[in-house]
């Protein structure tokens, strides 16, 4: 039998697929958080280890210098702050892990450390922090920063940020809270110490004005792709999230993370590597494929426009000038991220632009069929690549609906559970202990 | 004769920390302080009693002003530990329908964009019931947690608060009300012509904008503030919807404070009725007046037996170490601070023992008795002051005290017809400004 793996879900606090036939009233009600409350309950029943809220704080103007496409399709924005949502999700569930994103470029470390520690208490030891360094100057400018640090230096800063917040979480020693009714002693001041951090980027006195939560440190999640990012992830993360449609690249990434962890003196078994997957399941194979075509087939002009806008945002190229059914353009240059564009061109040799959009939208290896077929495929991927699990996402297209969530949670997940591949219970009290249990 | 209807709100002094432990009715308050259940119970009880709102006080540093060490603060769990209220607030609004929830967030610690975003999210999630208690940093230990040696000088902190407030308001209104169109035919979620950058360049802050989320139900959150100094009052008069008043000396002083605020609000071009002044009180209530007075005596005895507890707060707020004076030594004229000014000024010329007897920070005047007695006292005071209501504060917060207020005092006030029996609106601001 194959080894068990982990399921998680990737989303953000934004409108779900409001114009899908199954969108219901989600376009009007998403801001209250109720959509995500019902979602996370289903995920917990289905044995998901965690839900992760990606985040950013900008209205993108990457396409044509205006916010038109970003707002028309609701791409980068709107997005509400995931921190206030997490405690409510925790209140409505008992076991599932809850991860929110926080940027090391925009938060003072004291606030981030304190909010995370507070949430670890509020969730009973189920909170995680997705560490991002942020990459968009237009977001930095919202925070009064003209230009972000260069890519690799952002990781140097993030490293110092992590050092500070970890020191703050550790600033109350175990046993600091004595709670002696006789002497009226609540806490022992000799076990609570300032950190007196003075570094290149941050100066923080400490101590934290509260003891850390049940986990001590929240689960650290990261998505490093570059060499600097991979080192950072290998050194700090318990959960690493990555995207690649190609199985050999997935294996290479998972192996590389383990190797880096060992080099950095860390036990690789403290890390779980999860890859994005957007499975499409149907009652029959035919139905699944027809759903897949509507979801990722790039037949709907609005969907094409939306996916082109995403591509434009990351490459600063206006893709509307190209024919969708011609081979993917080559030899392009950009004022934006040339390396991203080069990688994109290299990956799409032999594909049409339309086919590349399909690949982009489904974020991971194509996985379509009956629940049994999709389960077979997931089992095979884990066997072939050595990854630790999947991060289900339904961000683009029209699939972020309650119906899709139900099809995964009550169709696919039970099949995986019957095969003994996905957990049916959470034996431990904290998120980290459950995540690292297998 | 009775006062015009007035407002009731709750000031959770000492924030999201250990509310009560080691006393007769603390329950498991010492062990379970990090569990939000007490706060959810508080919100539901006060909604049942038709309170306007609950403020969750906050500060983010380890105090050590008293005696130059954190020992006494940690020993007594005074002002520490304290957790972040911005993630407690959504749990309180999630469990209620009408009451306003007001986390405290400091303009000295947050960037306006991050704060505007968090508050906007809270107002969406609560469907228009979020307030912001605007504070400026005062204790230098907090400044040191944020990379600074000390905060700006007292009055300049309010200049910075003014700028922060202006920028945050621009961000909250950077999406026009009808920017979200949800047009299925054209697949248009939002109309970019109705979402604007703010391009703010100030002395202390800059921000490009727009906010990355639509306007929330209230548009602007309801603003609460507690400035008692002349500069603080000036800020209040232009910004606040509700003012926390810690003025001492009884109804005459309270009236003077309110009259001053209303005059300044008018000067700032606002309707004075849009600024509600609420006075901090800590009523001591029991079934009979005798029992209430006996309770009051026990509290005084406790305060005198543990003088440091009362002086811990005073020290951290004022940044003056009150352990330097003997209990019977007069606080000399000319003592000054870069911390909270109004509080210190009210101490000068008194001895620490006098301050403790008067119950510093425990209210504007002595309110002790049965529910009916206290209701009559509050009614009478409001009649003299002219408005706008009270903020109940209790450092030793336990469920029994909550019930004494929500199920004892409030029904007595309702019988007199001086507090609301039903909410008339859906949003916090509309309810606050309804009378």
């Amino acid at each position: 039998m194959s080894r068990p793996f982990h399921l998680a879900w990737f989303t953000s606090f934004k409108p779900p697929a409001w114009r899908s036939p199954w969108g219901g009233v989600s376009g009007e009600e998403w801001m209250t958080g109720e959509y995500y409350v019902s979602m996370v309950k289903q995920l917990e029943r289905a044995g998901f280890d965690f839900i992760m809220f990606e985040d950013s704080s900008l209205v993108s103007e990457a396409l044509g210098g205006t916010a038109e496409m970003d707002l028309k399709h609701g791409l980068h924005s709107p997005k509400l702050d995931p921190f206030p949502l997490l405690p409510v999700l925790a209140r409505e569930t008992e076991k599932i892990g809850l991860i929110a994103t926080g940027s090391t470029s925009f938060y003072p470390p004291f606030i981030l450390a304190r909010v995370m520690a507070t949430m670890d208490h509020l969730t009973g030891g189920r909170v995680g922090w997705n560490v991002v360094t942020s990459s968009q100057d237009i977001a930095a400018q919202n925070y009064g920063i003209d230009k972000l640090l260069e890519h690799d230096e952002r990781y140097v800063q993030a490293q110092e940020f992590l050092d500070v917040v970890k020191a703050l979480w550790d600033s109350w020693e175990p046993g600091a809270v004595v709670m002696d009714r006789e002497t009226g002693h609540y806490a022992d001041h000799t076990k609570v110490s300032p950190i007196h951090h003075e570094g290149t980027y941050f100066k923080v006195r400490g101590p934290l004005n509260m003891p850390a939560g049940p986990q001590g440190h929240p689960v650290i999640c990261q998505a490093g792709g570059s060499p600097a990012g991979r080192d950072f992830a290998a050194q700090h993360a318990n959960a690493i999230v990555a995207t690649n449609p190609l199985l050999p690249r997935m294996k290479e990434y998972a192996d590389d993370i383990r190797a880096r962890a060992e080099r950095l003196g860390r036990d690789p078994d403290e890390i779980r590597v999860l890859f994005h997957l957007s499975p499409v399941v149907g009652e029959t194979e035919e139905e699944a494929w027809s759903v897949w075509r509507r979801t990722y087939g790039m037949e709907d002009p609005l969907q094409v426009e939306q996916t082109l806008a995403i591509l434009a945002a990351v490459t600063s190229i206006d893709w509307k000038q190209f024919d969708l059914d011609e081979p993917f353009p080559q030899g392009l240059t950009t004022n934006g991220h040339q390396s991203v564009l080069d990688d994109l061109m290299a990956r799409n040799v032999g594909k049409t632009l339309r086919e590349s959009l399909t690949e982009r939208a489904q974020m991971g290896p194509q996985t379509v069929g009956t629940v049994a077929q999709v389960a077979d495929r997931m089992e095979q991927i884990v066997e072939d690549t050595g990854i630790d699990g999947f991060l289900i996402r339904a961000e683009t297209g029209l699939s972020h609906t309650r119906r899709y969530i139900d099809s995964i949670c009550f169709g696919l997940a039970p099949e995986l559970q019957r095969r003994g591949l996905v957990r049916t219970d959470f034996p431990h009290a904290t998120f980290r202990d459950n995540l690292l249990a297998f | 004769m009775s006062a015009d209807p007035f407002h009731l709100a709750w000031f959770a002094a000492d924030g999201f920390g250990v509310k009560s432990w080691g006393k007769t009715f603390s329950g498991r308050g010492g062990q379970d302080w990090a569990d939000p259940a007490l706060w959810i119970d508080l919100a539901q009880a006060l909604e049942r009693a038709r309170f306007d709102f609950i403020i969750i006080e906050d500060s983010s540093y380890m105090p050590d002003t008293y005696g130059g060490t954190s020992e006494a603060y940690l020993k007594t769990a005074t002002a520490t530990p304290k957790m972040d209220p911005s993630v407690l607030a959504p749990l309180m609004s999630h469990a209620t329908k009408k009451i306003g929830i007001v986390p405290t967030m400091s303009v000295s610690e947050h960037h306006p964009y991050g704060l505007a975003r968090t508050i906007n999210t809270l107002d969406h999630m609560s469907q228009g019931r979020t307030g912001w208690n605007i504070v400026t940093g005062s204790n230098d230990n907090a400044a040191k947690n944020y990379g600074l040696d000390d905060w700006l000088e007292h009055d300049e902190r309010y200049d910075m608060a003014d700028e922060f407030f202006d920028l945050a308001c621009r961000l909250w209104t950077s999406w026009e009300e009808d920017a979200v169109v949800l047009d299925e035919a054209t697949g248009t979620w939002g109309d970019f012509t109705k979402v604007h950058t703010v391009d703010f360049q100030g002395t202390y802050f800059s921000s490009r904008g727009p906010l990355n989320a639509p306007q929330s139900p209230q548009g602007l959150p309801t603003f609460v503030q507690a400035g008692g100094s002349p500069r603080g009052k000036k800020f209040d008069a232009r910004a606040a919807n509700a003012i926390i008043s810690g003025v001492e000396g009884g109804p005459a002083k309270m009236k003077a404070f309110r009259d001053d605020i209303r005059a300044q609000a008018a000067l700032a071009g606002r309707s004075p009725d849009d600024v509600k002044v609420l006075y901090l009180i800590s009523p001591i209530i029991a079934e009979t007046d005798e029992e209430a007075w006996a309770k009051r005596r026990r509290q005084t005895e406790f305060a005198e037996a543990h003088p440091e507890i009362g002086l811990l707060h005073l020290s951290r707020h004022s940044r003056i170490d009150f352990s330097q004076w003997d209990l019977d030594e007069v606080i000399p004229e000319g003592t000054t601070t870069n911390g909270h000014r109004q509080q210190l000024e009210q101490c000068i010329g008194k001895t620490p023992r006098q301050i403790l007897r008067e119950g510093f920070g425990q209210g504007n005047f002595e309110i002790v008795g049965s529910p009916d007695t206290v209701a009559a006292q509050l009614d009478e005071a409001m009649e003299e002051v002219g408005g706008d209501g009270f903020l109940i504060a209790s450092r030793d917060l336990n469920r029994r005290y909550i019930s004494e207020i929500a199920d004892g005092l409030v029904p007595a006030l309702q019988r007199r017809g001086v507090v609301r029996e039903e909410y008339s609106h859906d949003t916090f601001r509309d309810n606050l400004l309804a009378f």
Side-chain angles (χ1 to χ4, degrees), chain A residues 13 15 18-20 24 27-28 30-34 37 55-59 61 65-74 76-92 106-111 114-115 117-119 121-122 137-146 168 172 177-190 192 202-211 302 305, chain B residues 16 18 21-24 26-27 29-31 33-37 40 58-64 69-72 74-77 79-88 90-91 94 109-114 117-122 124-127 140-141 143-149 171 175 180 182-193 195 197 201 205-215:
Chain A
F13 192 178
W18 62 277
R19 67 183 182 90
S20 152
E28 287 85 15
W30 66 276
M31 300 90 88
T32 64
E34 292 305 324
V37 168
D55 191 37
S56 64
S57 47
L58 71 153
V59 178
E61 297 176 9
T66 89
E68 181 171 8
M69 282 300 126
D70 197 46
L71 289 168
K72 178 175 176 185
H73 296 296
H76 280 91
S77 70
K79 236 174 246 175
L80 295 182
D81 183 347
F83 286 178
L85 178 62
L86 254 58
V88 173
L89 299 182
R91 197 80 194 156
E92 299 280 348
F106 304 148
Y107 275 96
F110 197 89
I111 292 184
R114 190 165 176 245
V115 170
T118 302
M119 292 207 293
H121 282 289
L122 290 176
D137 286 338
I138 190 175
Q141 287 157 16
N142 287 333
Y143 293 88
I145 304 162
D146 288 338
L168 287 169
W172 291 51
V177 176
V178 291
M179 233 186 296
D180 183 336
R181 282 175 67 103
E182 295 305 310
T183 62
H185 233 102
Y186 189 78
D188 176 356
H189 75 292
T190 65
V192 179
F202 305 106
K203 189 174 160 192
V204 182
R205 182 189 188 275
L208 203 61
N209 61 338
M210 54 174 287
L302 282 168
E305 183 179 75
Chain B
F16 187 7
V18 181
W21 80 280
K23 298 201 176 132
T24 316
S26 299
Q31 291 91 334
W33 69 281
D35 183 330
I40 290 169
D58 193 36
S59 63
S60 63
Y61 62 93
M62 179 64 64
D64 60 8
T69 158
S70 59
E71 180 171 3
L74 283 164
K75 179 183 174 190
T76 57
T80 190
K82 215 184 265 188
M83 300 204 285
D84 191 308
S86 70
V87 285
L88 173 62
L91 288 172
H94 186 66
E109 295 165 8
H110 289 265
H111 187 274
Y113 193 91
R117 212 180 155 221
T118 300
I119 293 282
N120 168 275
T121 297
L122 290 170
H124 276 299
M125 290 181 68
S126 65
Q127 295 174 271
D140 56 328
N141 269 10
K144 288 170 187 156
N145 286 335
Y146 294 87
L148 304 169
D149 293 326
L171 288 166
W175 293 49
V180 178
L182 296 181
D183 181 347
E184 297 196 13
T186 61
T188 303
W189 185 83
D191 177 355
F192 77 110
T193 65
V195 178
T197 58
Q201 289 283 346
F205 304 106
S206 66
S207 184
R208 183 182 189 278
L211 205 63
N212 65 337
Q215 264 197 47

Side-chain angles (χ1 to χ4, degrees), chain B residues 197-265:
Chain B
T197 58
V198 303
D199 298 313
F200 188 96
Q201 289 283 346
T203 309
Y204 307 99
F205 304 106
S206 66
S207 184
R208 183 182 189 278
L211 205 63
N212 65 337
Q215 264 197 47
S216 64
Q218 289 186 110
L220 304 177
T222 301
F223 300 111
V224 179
Q225 222 274 334
S229 67
R231 184 62 186 89
K233 276 199 216 166
K234 199 175 150 203
F235 178 80
D236 283 349
R238 73 177 280 258
N241 300 115
I243 292 175
I244 305 164
S245 171
V247 68
E248 308 227 310
K253 292 272 177 60
M254 291 158 66
K255 182 174 189 324
F257 182 92
R258 180 170 180 266
D259 290 347
D260 182 27
I261 287 282
R262 289 175 65 86
Q264 290 200 42

